[in-house]
């Protein structure tokens, strides 16, 4: 498959590298390739600048959002939540139409300090905003509830734990489920929550995720739904 | 111990009956005892009216909020979230002062339809509202993230799953943890999230709980945090 992963932060890099390792073509989309490659500072979490990562992953080619999306059969939104709609607009509605759009972002807003707040919340979600803005894309929310290294390697966390999928298109959810299985997720670990409005629930896990991260001091954990 | 359980709905009844079965004195607090006993209709979820339940549980005596709280050594807030501050005000700050106040309520607001929204959210929580309103009480948030039958009998759900505790007073959290252990929770299943602000995370699980309830069609499930 040909994938476009939008977002050159640690999440986008991790997904793109995993897709490439699985034999897919992975373009990594960014607003301005030259600016992205020119950065020399680590990000606020200490991750190396993109150019350094790219030297180790030449198989993942950076491209402007629109070029990446136009060449892809499926698109992953791995931008920060507050920038997602702008990034997808730059990618272009025509380049998203008819394609599975895997939304793994969280609409966290740290502008008023830490911990960040979730916006939208309760009656809307980032996934729904994206689906409304790009009605011809097949938006599937998934993987936003865990650290990115677990997304592509669930064995980092022992025992059973879950990936959730939300979306209006059953075939798109199945396609995403198969991608998750290729990442190492057992099919039984993928919980279909229902339509795209159920992404509200998955996004609202983030404040708890942040508190658990605070309590444990590391991100190697994930939600599991135990059930009778 | 002498407990007051505020709230005569299915959650309060379940907790009060379990406390009594464990040999504690359990008063169940309500605004107006006569009015509570006079109801003859099932609640919106089909639970029998209080009087019918009380006939089967004469060991749990209904009492006005203030009388229940004044006689108790520890208080459980099992009222609906939107009514909690009023119920606790009726219980009386003096009757709560110095006591462990176990908040198991969720601030869900269904006034605009289903699914209900969470209010407050993000930058505040019901638990914090209660702690601010009753600064001399030792508020511990717990058990709000599951169906009430699981609260008092975690074996209803197979495998590992968690109860969370949030609060500013370490001794109060330990006292609540010991109560949870007496309900059947392994100590290792009780996760201390931190101070009372961490209740925001636990309360924000509710929208996901509601979506999972919708996906599964039953409430016999619970959150488990799998971790390395």
């Amino acid at each position: 498959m040909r994938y476009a992963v939008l977002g050159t932060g640690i999440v986008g890099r991790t997904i793109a590298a995993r897709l490439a390792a699985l034999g897919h073509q992975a373009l990594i989309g960014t607003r301005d390739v030259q600016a992205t490659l020119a950065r020399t500072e680590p990000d606020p979490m200490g991750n190396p600048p993109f150019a350094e990562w790219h030297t180790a992953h030449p198989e993942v080619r950076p491209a402007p959002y629109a070029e990446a999306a136009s060449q892809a059969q499926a698109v992953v939104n791995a931008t920060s939540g507050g920038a997602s709609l702008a990034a997808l607009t730059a990618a272009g509605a025509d380049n998203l139409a008819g394609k599975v759009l895997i939304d793994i972002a969280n609409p966290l807003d740290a502008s008023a300090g830490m911990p960040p707040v979730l916006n939208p919340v309760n009656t809307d979600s980032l996934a729904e905003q994206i689906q409304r803005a790009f009605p011809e894309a097949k938006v599937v929310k998934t993987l936003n509830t865990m650290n990115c290294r677990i997304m592509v390697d669930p064995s980092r966390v022992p025992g059973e734990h879950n990936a959730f999928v939300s979306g209006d298109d059953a075939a798109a959810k199945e396609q995403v489920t198969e991608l998750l299985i290729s990442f190492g997720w057992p099919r039984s670990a993928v919980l279909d929550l229902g339509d795209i409005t159920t992404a509200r629930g998955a996004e609202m896990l983030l404040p708890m995720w942040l508190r658990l991260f605070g309590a444990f001091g590391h991100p190697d954990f994930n939600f599991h739904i135990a059930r009778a």
Side-chain angles (χ1 to χ4, degrees), chain A residues 2-160:
Chain A
R2 297 190 309 277
Y3 283 93
V5 180
L6 308 186
T8 56
I10 186 69
V11 181
R13 295 176 199 178
T14 302
I15 296 284
R18 183 73 162 121
L19 289 168
L22 288 168
H24 300 293
Q25 178 191 299
L27 290 175
I28 191 162
T30 186
R31 191 176 55 79
D32 179 332
V33 171
Q34 290 316 112
T36 298
L37 286 167
R39 279 184 213 119
T40 56
E41 296 297 311
D43 77 9
M45 291 170 295
N47 297 301
F50 180 82
E52 185 176 326
W53 176 85
H54 186 240
T55 300
H57 293 279
E59 73 281 11
V60 176
R61 183 167 71 83
Y65 288 133
E67 181 189 339
S70 71
Q71 300 207 4
Q73 297 165 293
V75 176
V76 179
N77 174 36
T79 61
S80 63
S84 291
L85 286 167
L88 290 163
T89 299
D94 287 352
N95 293 326
L96 301 172
K99 296 178 184 174
V100 174
L101 173 49
I102 306 171
D103 174 33
I104 64 176
N106 281 300
L108 292 172
D109 177 0
S111 63
M114 294 296 285
V117 300
L118 205 63
N119 180 19
V121 75
N122 264 325
T123 55
D124 200 6
S125 62
L126 175 61
E128 289 165 272
Q129 291 180 326
I130 292 171
Q131 185 64 85
R132 286 197 304 273
F134 304 97
E136 294 184 76
K138 299 168 185 172
V139 178
V140 178
K141 186 91 200 186
T142 192
L143 293 180
N144 66 299
T145 55
M146 68 194 76
N147 179 266
C148 60
R149 293 202 289 182
I150 302 169
M151 295 179 187
V152 299
D153 180 11
S155 72
R156 287 184 68 85
V157 174
E160 292 179 274

